[in-house]
Amino acid sequence: MQWIKNNVSLRVNGHTNISLISAFEYTDQIAIHITSENLFGEKVYCHYYDAMRKLLQTPFESRVFPESVIYCLPRPGTKFVSLSRNQQDEPDYPVPLIDRTMQEPVHYFSVCVAPFFGTEPKWLMISEFVEYYKLQGATHFFFYVVNLSNYDMKQLNDYVRTGDAEVTIIYNRFDRAEYGWQRNIIQNCLLRSRNFSYWTAFVDIDERLKMTLFNGTVVDYLKQVKDPLIGSLQFSQTWLMKTETQPGRYVNDEETVKWMPTQRYRNTSSVGPNGHTSKCIVRSNTVGAMFVHFPFVFYPNYKRYEMDPREGVVRHYRDLNLGNWGKTWLKDVEKFGPFQNTTMDPVTSNKLIDAVVKRVNYVYEKS
């Protein structure tokens, strides 16, 4: 394949040990996602199992592409799959196939969220994130957890309970830094959203895609995209200076509103140039391999559309202390132009406050 020859998505990192995360069944192929990030282009073997986890037929030879993904031919009766480096090796523990054979997407607009890691409390950020994108028309959320406290998981699990979200727990079997999972998980969410959602945003928990002069929500904008060859919409960044760590526990409604990032932080940078840490909404069926900020490659004829900042931008509530971002990158952002105080529009802001207060109160307030 030409994409392998061109080293598309190549990342010499991680471990060569095969450890499966998920597997997805499409009408014409099976995609298996693994934790390894340095088996690019390597030969591997797909193993097939029935519902009783009994091996079916002989293994199928394939190669790793994109990084961390293996495509296998489908075989009748397959319910579980696994992999091995050599045909005669014992395969890794098999994982169940996740059905993605639907002819029509279940959701129109979903959101893939970068993996949770680190120690900062996230219960309030989770609620504000979900409620904001629900106001923008999103109906499903894909979350990934590398490290999250039990207190924060309570909020996340409540969205699972009500059918808003699904959560994949990432077990780090190897010596990998927590922050090193994002590029790997991007591929998983691309596969997970394919056929399942027509449009899917790929964003971090501190990012809000926002329409600017366009009069409507994100979904309103998506519905007026008429070119069938557009595979992604690229949003340029603005950065809002987040200067504090989020509170560790729910106290009351007033404190909730006080600490909501959209209500607390206003110091906003000018818009960054096209492609500078931009984020995107993609049609997963059109993308062959995904990067954190944009698709690496599209299937033939598909293309990306660069959003004019007058149409929409990313409002990124960027923690200045996380990863020494303020010391390392702020000086570059300052070159893009002056800072100014900005706020969310009052109608959306009030709806968001009401939704977040109601949800966190439901989860954490003792009745």
Side-chain angles (χ1 to χ4, degrees), residues 49-267:
Y49 301 79
D50 64 15
M52 302 300 292
R53 304 195 190 217
K54 180 181 177 181
L55 271 170
L56 299 172
Q57 305 179 33
T58 57
F60 173 78
E61 181 183 309
S62 186
R63 292 189 180 273
V64 178
F65 180 85
E67 189 72 86
S68 308
V69 177
I70 298 91
Y71 286 99
C72 315
L73 286 179
R75 286 182 174 170
T78 302
K79 300 299 180 183
F80 294 81
V81 290
S82 188
L83 296 168
S84 65
R85 292 291 302 277
N86 300 296
Q87 187 170 357
Q88 303 305 321
D89 289 350
E90 181 179 357
D92 191 48
Y93 289 107
V95 296
L97 287 178
I98 297 171
D99 182 21
R100 289 296 183 262
T101 61
M102 56 280 294
Q103 297 301 308
E104 296 293 332
V106 178
H107 297 275
Y108 184 73
F109 176 41
S110 300
V111 183
C112 282
V113 191
F116 289 131
F117 67 92
T119 59
E120 181 176 17
K122 297 178 179 66
W123 60 273
L124 181 53
M125 297 172 72
I126 290 168
S127 185
E128 188 190 80
F129 181 93
V130 172
E131 299 302 336
Y132 174 79
Y133 280 104
K134 286 168 69 174
L135 290 174
Q136 296 301 314
T139 55
H140 197 73
F141 297 82
F142 303 98
F143 286 102
Y144 295 84
V145 173
V146 175
N147 183 12
L148 194 67
S149 73
N150 289 336
Y151 191 85
D152 296 339
M153 280 297 299
K154 189 174 182 180
Q155 180 69 79
L156 193 59
N157 284 333
D158 198 60
Y159 283 114
V160 175
R161 178 185 67 85
T162 54
D164 295 292
E166 59 184 87
V167 176
T168 302
I169 306 298
I170 305 301
Y171 294 102
N172 190 4
R173 295 182 57 235
F174 310 114
D175 185 18
R176 176 185 293 176
E178 290 183 350
Y179 62 79
W181 279 99
Q182 187 169 8
R183 276 186 55 162
N184 181 278
I185 294 306
I186 285 285
Q187 305 299 341
N188 187 282
C189 210
L190 179 69
L191 299 173
R192 193 174 294 272
S193 59
R194 187 174 288 167
N195 288 357
F196 190 72
S197 183
Y198 191 81
W199 290 101
T200 304
F202 285 79
V203 290
D204 295 353
I205 193 68
D206 56 0
E207 294 175 325
R208 310 287 181 267
L209 300 178
K210 179 185 181 297
M211 309 318 299
T212 46
L213 296 183
F214 176 80
N215 185 24
T217 64
V218 171
V219 158
D220 292 333
Y221 185 91
L222 294 175
K223 288 182 177 179
Q224 58 86 54
V225 175
K226 302 303 181 184
D227 187 345
L229 297 182
I230 290 178
S232 77
L233 305 174
Q234 296 294 139
F235 289 73
S236 296
Q237 287 255 12
T238 59
W239 293 263
L240 290 90
M241 303 298 102
K242 178 177 174 290
T243 57
E244 304 148 303
T245 299
Q246 287 278 283
R249 291 288 191 273
Y250 169 83
V251 177
N252 55 41
D253 294 349
E254 291 74 19
E255 286 294 303
T256 295
V257 177
K258 174 183 174 181
W259 282 97
M260 288 173 59
T262 57
Q263 308 304 310
R264 191 170 183 84
Y265 304 109
R266 300 183 178 186
N267 187 19

Side-chain angles (χ1 to χ4, degrees), residues 24-38:
F24 304 90
E25 181 180 21
Y26 308 102
T27 55
D28 58 344
Q29 59 192 352
I30 290 170
I32 303 175
H33 180 233
I34 61 177
T35 61
S36 307
E37 287 189 310
N38 57 1

